[in-house]
Amino acid sequence: MATKVTKIGVLTSGGDSPGMNAAIRAVVRTGIYHKMEVFGVFRGYSGLIDNDIQPMQSRSVANIIQRGGTILKTARCPEFYTPEGRKKAYDNLTRHGINGLVVIGGDGSFKGAQIFSQEYDIPCIGLPGTIDKDIAGTDFTIGFDTAVNTAVEAIDKIRDTMDAHDRLFIVEVMGRDAGYIALHSGIATGAETILIPEAKTTVEDLIGNLTEKEKRKKLVNLVVVAEGDDFGGGNEVGKLVKANLPNADVRVCILGHIQRGGSPTCLDRLIASRMGYHAVECLMEGRHNVMVGIVNNRMHYTPLTLAIKAKEKFNNEWLKIVRILAS
Ligand code: ADP
Ligand code: F6P
């Protein structure tokens, strides 16, 4: 029979994403509603190891639902990769009597949670917090919608200059291993070409496509590139295009970390609130080591191991849509 979870810790780990605060608020207030004690762990797994753990009250999470970043701060913690580091983390949790953990982060953070809960019998619930949307078992991750809307807003502005000067713009968006920000923002801004890690594009395809547009006097062209694309990101694509299309007026813009910040959209606040609430419900129900996701607008629980391993099947039709609509 599983031990009743009475004291829970909540932490944010890995890259921050807009909506993490809304998720923290939901965990803290749902925990308090269920008469649990709730502790905030600062700077991800580093806070567990350094005992940077503070009790949270309902007021601790007031006025944060609209704020980007994370009030608990986040970190990448090399020490948590070691058994010694994880032992320190467990000792600190035991000191506070914490017997359930909510980890808000990406797949790296889930790997850490999975290993930790295997070594020590402590239930961990994962909430997908990453702008990259590269986690299986959920239609959305906390922060993706905000990031992609930030990218769209920025590209719309770039399009004004692109149009005024008849320029060819290469815009790099975030996504080290995943092209979802590029794909969604590229379609929404009418990109001619989208370059992403999930789909191989040859130099011939890229240049051939742009040359054909040039021949038709279509001089305003937008290429959206995910930073992790095979070509090596926006600057590399820029060099390649300049070398092959000497008549084109080419500019490169790297959007960078503006995509990680800012006030979360309504959708991110909503999914973060629902997921945070259900994370606590999971702990109440005695669930172990699952990620709380949303699929077809319903809560969906995926074992952490699968959320990490499985990659969503890439839908090639989206790239076909790009080609047809950008003609
Ligand atoms: P994200 O969660 O955004 O994918 P990272 O991959 O940087 O970010 O992972 C965040 C943290 O999770 C790491 O700094 C480390 O503390 C922990 N972590 C990641 N992978 C492991 C692992 N295999 N074993 C233990 N801890 C891990
Ligand atoms: O995982 C989110 C992400 O924004 C990636 O798209 C990007 O490559 C990475 O984080 C950058 O992380 P940082 O600047 O924190 O090292």
Side-chain angles (χ1 to χ4, degrees), residues 15 76 130-132 174-176 227 257 260:
R76 296 199 164 94
T130 165
I131 63 164
D132 290 343
M174 271 187 158
R176 194 173 24 206
E227 62 175 322
H257 287 81
R260 283 251 290 265

PDB file of all heavy atoms in Angstrom, residues 15 76 130-132 174-176 227 257 260, ligand 2:
ATOM      1  N   GLY A  15      15.578  24.556 -19.025  1.00  0.00           N
ATOM      2  CA  GLY A  15      15.278  25.884 -19.589  1.00  0.00           C
ATOM      3  C   GLY A  15      13.936  26.396 -19.067  1.00  0.00           C
ATOM      4  O   GLY A  15      12.986  25.635 -18.979  1.00  0.00           O
ATOM      5  N   ARG A  76      20.476  24.162 -14.495  1.00  0.00           N
ATOM      6  CA  ARG A  76      20.949  22.860 -14.956  1.00  0.00           C
ATOM      7  C   ARG A  76      21.936  22.421 -13.873  1.00  0.00           C
ATOM      8  O   ARG A  76      22.780  23.205 -13.461  1.00  0.00           O
ATOM      9  CB  ARG A  76      21.573  22.984 -16.329  1.00  0.00           C
ATOM     10  CG  ARG A  76      20.505  23.421 -17.348  1.00  0.00           C
ATOM     11  CD  ARG A  76      20.870  23.163 -18.781  1.00  0.00           C
ATOM     12  NE  ARG A  76      19.695  23.243 -19.633  1.00  0.00           N
ATOM     13  CZ  ARG A  76      19.310  24.346 -20.284  1.00  0.00           C
ATOM     14  NH1 ARG A  76      20.016  25.453 -20.214  1.00  0.00           N
ATOM     15  NH2 ARG A  76      18.237  24.322 -21.046  1.00  0.00           N
ATOM     16  N   THR A 130       8.429  23.289 -21.454  1.00  0.00           N
ATOM     17  CA  THR A 130       9.483  23.586 -22.441  1.00  0.00           C
ATOM     18  C   THR A 130       8.875  24.278 -23.648  1.00  0.00           C
ATOM     19  O   THR A 130       7.787  23.892 -24.101  1.00  0.00           O
ATOM     20  CB  THR A 130      10.241  22.319 -22.892  1.00  0.00           C
ATOM     21  OG1 THR A 130      10.991  22.630 -24.081  1.00  0.00           O
ATOM     22  CG2 THR A 130       9.314  21.159 -23.222  1.00  0.00           C
ATOM     23  N   ILE A 131       9.574  25.274 -24.173  1.00  0.00           N
ATOM     24  CA  ILE A 131       9.052  25.956 -25.365  1.00  0.00           C
ATOM     25  C   ILE A 131       9.170  25.063 -26.610  1.00  0.00           C
ATOM     26  O   ILE A 131       8.550  25.339 -27.621  1.00  0.00           O
ATOM     27  CB  ILE A 131       9.764  27.305 -25.618  1.00  0.00           C
ATOM     28  CG1 ILE A 131      11.253  27.121 -25.913  1.00  0.00           C
ATOM     29  CG2 ILE A 131       9.528  28.272 -24.474  1.00  0.00           C
ATOM     30  CD1 ILE A 131      11.908  28.363 -26.532  1.00  0.00           C
ATOM     31  N   ASP A 132       9.993  24.014 -26.527  1.00  0.00           N
ATOM     32  CA  ASP A 132      10.298  23.225 -27.728  1.00  0.00           C
ATOM     33  C   ASP A 132       9.195  22.247 -28.155  1.00  0.00           C
ATOM     34  O   ASP A 132       9.201  21.757 -29.272  1.00  0.00           O
ATOM     35  CB  ASP A 132      11.586  22.430 -27.536  1.00  0.00           C
ATOM     36  CG  ASP A 132      12.806  23.327 -27.511  1.00  0.00           C
ATOM     37  OD1 ASP A 132      12.695  24.483 -27.954  1.00  0.00           O
ATOM     38  OD2 ASP A 132      13.873  22.874 -27.054  1.00  0.00           O
ATOM     39  N   MET A 174      14.104  29.221 -32.084  1.00  0.00           N
ATOM     40  CA  MET A 174      14.686  28.222 -31.174  1.00  0.00           C
ATOM     41  C   MET A 174      14.208  26.816 -31.503  1.00  0.00           C
ATOM     42  O   MET A 174      13.210  26.618 -32.187  1.00  0.00           O
ATOM     43  CB  MET A 174      14.369  28.579 -29.726  1.00  0.00           C
ATOM     44  CG  MET A 174      15.421  29.494 -29.138  1.00  0.00           C
ATOM     45  SD  MET A 174      15.169  29.738 -27.397  1.00  0.00           S
ATOM     46  CE  MET A 174      16.835  30.230 -26.955  1.00  0.00           C
ATOM     47  N   GLY A 175      14.915  25.855 -30.956  1.00  0.00           N
ATOM     48  CA  GLY A 175      14.613  24.441 -31.172  1.00  0.00           C
ATOM     49  C   GLY A 175      15.890  23.697 -31.482  1.00  0.00           C
ATOM     50  O   GLY A 175      16.278  23.564 -32.636  1.00  0.00           O
ATOM     51  N   ARG A 176      16.553  23.255 -30.412  1.00  0.00           N
ATOM     52  CA  ARG A 176      17.850  22.573 -30.588  1.00  0.00           C
ATOM     53  C   ARG A 176      17.659  21.221 -31.251  1.00  0.00           C
ATOM     54  O   ARG A 176      18.398  20.836 -32.131  1.00  0.00           O
ATOM     55  CB  ARG A 176      18.493  22.411 -29.202  1.00  0.00           C
ATOM     56  CG  ARG A 176      19.934  22.044 -29.212  1.00  0.00           C
ATOM     57  CD  ARG A 176      20.532  22.063 -27.821  1.00  0.00           C
ATOM     58  NE  ARG A 176      19.532  21.879 -26.761  1.00  0.00           N
ATOM     59  CZ  ARG A 176      19.678  22.327 -25.526  1.00  0.00           C
ATOM     60  NH1 ARG A 176      20.751  22.973 -25.189  1.00  0.00           N
ATOM     61  NH2 ARG A 176      18.743  22.106 -24.608  1.00  0.00           N
ATOM     62  N   GLU A 227      17.025  26.327 -34.940  1.00  0.00           N
ATOM     63  CA  GLU A 227      18.468  26.411 -34.637  1.00  0.00           C
ATOM     64  C   GLU A 227      19.176  25.059 -34.779  1.00  0.00           C
ATOM     65  O   GLU A 227      20.360  25.012 -35.087  1.00  0.00           O
ATOM     66  CB  GLU A 227      18.688  26.993 -33.232  1.00  0.00           C
ATOM     67  CG  GLU A 227      18.111  26.157 -32.120  1.00  0.00           C
ATOM     68  CD  GLU A 227      18.454  26.696 -30.730  1.00  0.00           C
ATOM     69  OE1 GLU A 227      19.559  27.185 -30.508  1.00  0.00           O
ATOM     70  OE2 GLU A 227      17.592  26.586 -29.856  1.00  0.00           O
ATOM     71  N   HIS A 257      16.630  34.310 -27.404  1.00  0.00           N
ATOM     72  CA  HIS A 257      15.942  34.079 -26.132  1.00  0.00           C
ATOM     73  C   HIS A 257      14.699  34.932 -25.910  1.00  0.00           C
ATOM     74  O   HIS A 257      14.009  34.714 -24.913  1.00  0.00           O
ATOM     75  CB  HIS A 257      16.915  34.257 -24.968  1.00  0.00           C
ATOM     76  CG  HIS A 257      17.888  33.118 -24.867  1.00  0.00           C
ATOM     77  ND1 HIS A 257      19.013  33.034 -25.644  1.00  0.00           N
ATOM     78  CD2 HIS A 257      17.875  32.013 -24.098  1.00  0.00           C
ATOM     79  CE1 HIS A 257      19.666  31.929 -25.353  1.00  0.00           C
ATOM     80  NE2 HIS A 257      19.004  31.292 -24.410  1.00  0.00           N
ATOM     81  N   ARG A 260      11.853  32.800 -25.117  1.00  0.00           N
ATOM     82  CA  ARG A 260      11.695  32.085 -23.841  1.00  0.00           C
ATOM     83  C   ARG A 260      10.998  32.936 -22.779  1.00  0.00           C
ATOM     84  O   ARG A 260      10.546  32.419 -21.761  1.00  0.00           O
ATOM     85  CB  ARG A 260      13.073  31.669 -23.315  1.00  0.00           C
ATOM     86  CG  ARG A 260      13.673  30.466 -24.002  1.00  0.00           C
ATOM     87  CD  ARG A 260      13.696  29.238 -23.102  1.00  0.00           C
ATOM     88  NE  ARG A 260      14.640  29.371 -22.033  1.00  0.00           N
ATOM     89  CZ  ARG A 260      15.886  28.910 -22.063  1.00  0.00           C
ATOM     90  NH1 ARG A 260      16.329  28.290 -23.126  1.00  0.00           N
ATOM     91  NH2 ARG A 260      16.667  29.059 -21.024  1.00  0.00           N
TER      92      ARG A 260
HETATM   93  O1  F6P B   2      15.016  23.748 -24.554  1.00  0.00           O
HETATM   94  C1  F6P B   2      14.597  25.037 -24.843  1.00  0.00           C
HETATM   95  C2  F6P B   2      15.702  25.798 -25.509  1.00  0.00           C
HETATM   96  O2  F6P B   2      15.202  27.097 -25.661  1.00  0.00           O
HETATM   97  C3  F6P B   2      16.202  25.266 -26.838  1.00  0.00           C
HETATM   98  O3  F6P B   2      15.344  25.485 -27.916  1.00  0.00           O
HETATM   99  C4  F6P B   2      17.526  25.993 -26.926  1.00  0.00           C
HETATM  100  O4  F6P B   2      18.429  25.388 -27.784  1.00  0.00           O
HETATM  101  C5  F6P B   2      17.998  25.900 -25.520  1.00  0.00           C
HETATM  102  O5  F6P B   2      16.860  25.873 -24.719  1.00  0.00           O
HETATM  103  C6  F6P B   2      18.923  27.012 -25.111  1.00  0.00           C
HETATM  104  O6  F6P B   2      19.122  26.911 -23.736  1.00  0.00           O
HETATM  105  P1  F6P B   2      20.080  27.869 -22.893  1.00  0.00           P
HETATM  106  O7  F6P B   2      20.210  29.148 -23.592  1.00  0.00           O
HETATM  107  O8  F6P B   2      19.397  27.977 -21.576  1.00  0.00           O
HETATM  108  O9  F6P B   2      21.359  27.121 -22.780  1.00  0.00           O
END
